[in-house]
Amino acid sequence: LILVLMKKKLLLFISFVLLVQFVTAQVASVRPNRGYRGQTLTTTITLATGVMQFATPPQGYMDIYLQQGANVIYTYTAYQALTNMYYSTGFPFGYNWYDSLITDFPIPLNASLGYYDVHVITYSGATPVDNVLINGLLVRDIAGSIQGNVFFDTNQNGIWDLNEPPLAYQAINIGPNSEIAYSGASGSYIYTGDTGVYNLSPNIPPGWVITTSPTSYSVALPPSSSGYDFGLYSASLAYRSDLRILRNRQRCNVSGAINVTVSNTGYLDSHGSVTVIVSSNVSITGYSTPPNSINGDTLTWIYPTLSNGQVWTVEINNIAPAAGQIVSISVIDSVFNTGGIFQNTVIDDYSYVVRCAYDPNDKSATPSGTTSANYTPINQDVEYLVRFQNTGNDYAYEVIIYDTLDARFDPTTFSIVDASHNLSTQISSAGEIQFSFYNINLPDSGLDEVGSHGWLRYKVHARTSIPDPSVVHNTAYIVFDQNVPIITNTTMNTLTALQYPNADFTTSDPSICQASCITFNNLSSNATTYQWLFPGSTTPSSTSVLPSGICYTNVGSFDVTLIATNPLGSDTTVQQNYISVAQGPIGISVTQIGDTLFATSGFTSYQWYYNTVPIGNATGSYYVATADGDYAVVVTNAAGCSGGANIPNVVTGVTDMSLLNRFVVYPNPSTGTFELKFSSSKNSMVAIELLDNVGQVISSHFLVSTIGINTMNFNEENLSAGLYMIKVVLDHKSMIKLISINK
């Protein structure tokens, strides 16, 4: 009776503690805490610490409301607890998990003015608990609204450009009353207020910068106005990934799944590769999406470009190992931008001990082999481990184990490695083995769990000249005293001389020019198939042994990936930024002035061609054509990349080439003072022009030549250093001479 009464008192005490804990739970704060008639007010309601860790959050819109006497304003009817709970402690939220929720209050135009109590109903089991903040929110009349947008400024130019993502739930500080307006999912925010002047500025989280100007606004109400936008940028959050392993513990030898999910929580598009390393004691049976490479226990998927909020997932089907073993799973997400440049790495690890009832008598082989076929080197010993345990209710006086070697093993290579107890062994020429533990006196597990176990190990080598591959099986029969034999599991190995693949490659010149093409040299070994990935090229992937014609039209640095595969598995080699593509010459053009061809200046080298044949010593930026026909020039820039331009049907305008010898400019080069001499066979009008290197006339002169040698002096010391032209028109024929002025 005393015990019963004590129990009743204890239950009453526990009930009282729980009742006090929930009934006294309060709403801690409401932000913003002021609203206006006709406004749909977005608020963040924070409960007292721990309330929602011990209770179920609000279930519907009638669980959150404002109350002023008989006047009640409910939250919006589409309220859903799962989507309105804060789940992060960092930007853009800044609140603790389970303590806060975000919701909208549609305030009627005829709502009573004044203070309202804020009510949030949580649930302790099925019992509703009212959490209250007295006078938590003030409803006022409205004088107008202020609107704007908050966005992630990808290029940091201070303008909300097309495809730049909005920033949701970003806080905008509103002065002078220390209020806050929050942007919605579209990035837009709205603040409604009384008559007055308000100061607007974003609440900038650590690691972020504001890119727009001005960085704050001063706005008067009334009237209503809009366009007060803020751009924010964070290099650390531009490319971000959230990596998750679904943490489900499998029971022993049961089929299950490992689910890996990647979500782009950054603000710019990204893609990457997910590497999953599963402990070798897990048997993989399939995938929702086949991996791009398999390297023993390492699986790699290359996932596509994800925009902000998009998710990629893969399911790995498997069978868990026996009880007591530890399963470990590691996932590595390597994130790249859309240009293929590495950004960061995200890692998630998970391990657990497999639990459930199990048969302690088993057999295993080392090496266990790779892939589901358990490929094992044919020239290596196979070591077998037989384990046993006395799970009866008395000592086992002797334990006999019968084993028969697979016919593909050579019995003469058999040898004992070690054993837990004193062991006698005999083997026949046919490979029939008897392992005898006489007088072992093995205690039962109920009496001595640790001492109830026993084991033995032996190794054996394959016969010579067996087929490659060869599958070998092995099973043991364990007899405790006079009991019926316990049959262990059957091991399976595929013996083969095939070696694990090695992926390797090179190319003659990984530094190329824009629009160039590459042939790759495959240096891999022991592989039967190949998968190449060439991001940034016109051929994104290839399965060729020696891929050729891989062309790059974009400038930049690009990764190359090779996955070499054979029946044993795959090996992956990634050379980051392996291919460097340089910009080709830009803006190549040729201008003809008279008989002189001028190519765009500023390139490293030039070579002129006439009718597709290189012209000897024609390696300057200009060339004086000596005959009509087709010309071309090939230029090289500082990066060593070449490009050219064709100039067809050039007409020199000189029909009598003897005129070339009738004009002399001296000295050439000069400092700006020089003379032109020419010969004339008659008195004739001569037109002379001084031109700059693009054909603009600097000065014009006319004179009447006399028979014999004629001279005209130039004093052009005011000209800048450079290349100029003197054009002479005589007897209806024109000729251009070049003059170089040096300072």
Side-chain angles (χ1 to χ4, degrees), residues 413-734:
T413 64
F414 167 86
S415 63
I416 298 291
V417 177
D418 55 16
S420 59
H421 298 78
N422 186 37
L423 174 66
S424 298
T425 305
Q426 61 187 59
I427 182 171
S428 70
S429 59
E432 298 167 339
I433 313 169
Q434 177 178 317
F435 302 97
S436 301
F437 293 93
Y438 297 119
N439 300 316
I440 189 173
N441 293 324
L442 192 68
D444 64 84
S445 56
L447 179 65
D448 181 2
E449 204 288 330
V450 175
S452 66
H453 294 270
W455 48 267
L456 66 89
R457 281 204 296 256
Y458 70 89
K459 62 183 179 180
V460 66
H461 201 285
R463 296 179 186 271
T464 59
S465 70
I466 62 172
D468 185 2
S470 286
V471 177
V472 295
H473 297 90
N474 201 282
T475 307
Y477 298 79
I478 304 171
V479 179
F480 291 86
D481 294 331
Q482 305 301 317
N483 291 301
V484 175
I486 297 173
I487 304 174
T488 68
N489 57 293
T490 298
T491 64
M492 186 275 287
N493 294 74
T494 302
L495 305 179
T496 178
L498 187 64
Q499 299 181 30
Y500 207 83
N502 177 61
D504 194 13
F505 64 87
T506 186
T507 186
S508 58
D509 187 3
S511 297
I512 62 174
C513 296
Q514 192 176 11
S516 298
C517 300
I518 294 178
T519 296
F520 286 86
N521 302 317
N522 192 339
L523 305 180
S524 304
S525 58
N526 307 318
T528 54
T529 60
Y530 304 90
Q531 175 67 58
W532 299 79
L533 301 176
F534 305 112
S537 77
T538 57
T539 307
S541 63
S542 173
T543 56
S544 300
V545 177
L546 298 171
S548 60
I550 308 302
C551 305
Y552 293 81
T553 58
N554 297 319
V555 176
S557 297
F558 303 96
D559 298 347
V560 176
T561 299
L562 172 59
I563 305 170
T565 305
N566 70 14
L568 289 182
S570 298
D571 184 44
T572 301
T573 292
V574 180
Q575 296 203 38
Q576 296 183 345
N577 300 322
Y578 182 63
I579 302 299
S580 178
V581 183
Q583 176 74 60
I586 299 175
I588 307 170
S589 64
V590 177
T591 303
Q592 181 181 357
I593 302 176
D595 58 349
T596 304
L597 306 175
F598 293 88
T600 307
S601 61
F603 295 109
T604 303
S605 66
Y606 299 79
Q607 176 61 59
W608 292 89
Y609 292 76
Y610 175 68
N611 291 340
T612 71
V613 178
I615 303 172
N617 299 320
T619 57
S621 62
Y622 63 89
Y623 178 73
V624 179
T626 58
D628 298 346
D630 297 332
Y631 287 79
V633 64
V634 174
V635 303
T636 303
N637 62 13
C641 297
S642 299
N646 296 315
I647 316 96
N649 303 318
V650 172
V651 178
T652 64
V654 179
T655 56
D656 182 3
M657 298 307 296
S658 64
L659 288 176
L660 286 170
N661 300 320
R662 293 172 56 186
F663 295 86
V664 176
V665 177
Y666 182 84
N668 190 7
S670 78
T671 60
T673 301
F674 55 91
E675 63 180 19
L676 169 68
K677 289 186 177 183
F678 62 95
S679 62
S680 178
S681 59
K682 60 181 179 180
N683 297 331
S684 180
M685 179 63 71
V686 181
I688 302 173
E689 292 180 335
L690 179 63
L691 311 165
D692 62 17
N693 60 1
V694 295
Q696 298 292 322
V697 177
I698 298 174
S699 61
S700 299
H701 310 273
F702 296 91
L703 59 85
V704 178
S705 66
T706 60
I707 298 174
I709 302 300
N710 295 264
T711 301
M712 180 177 178
N713 294 314
F714 291 81
N715 187 354
E716 303 290 350
E717 292 183 344
N718 62 322
L719 293 178
S720 302
L723 192 66
Y724 296 83
M725 297 174 285
I726 300 175
K727 180 179 180 181
V728 179
V729 180
L730 174 64
D731 297 333
H732 306 293
K733 300 179 179 66
S734 64

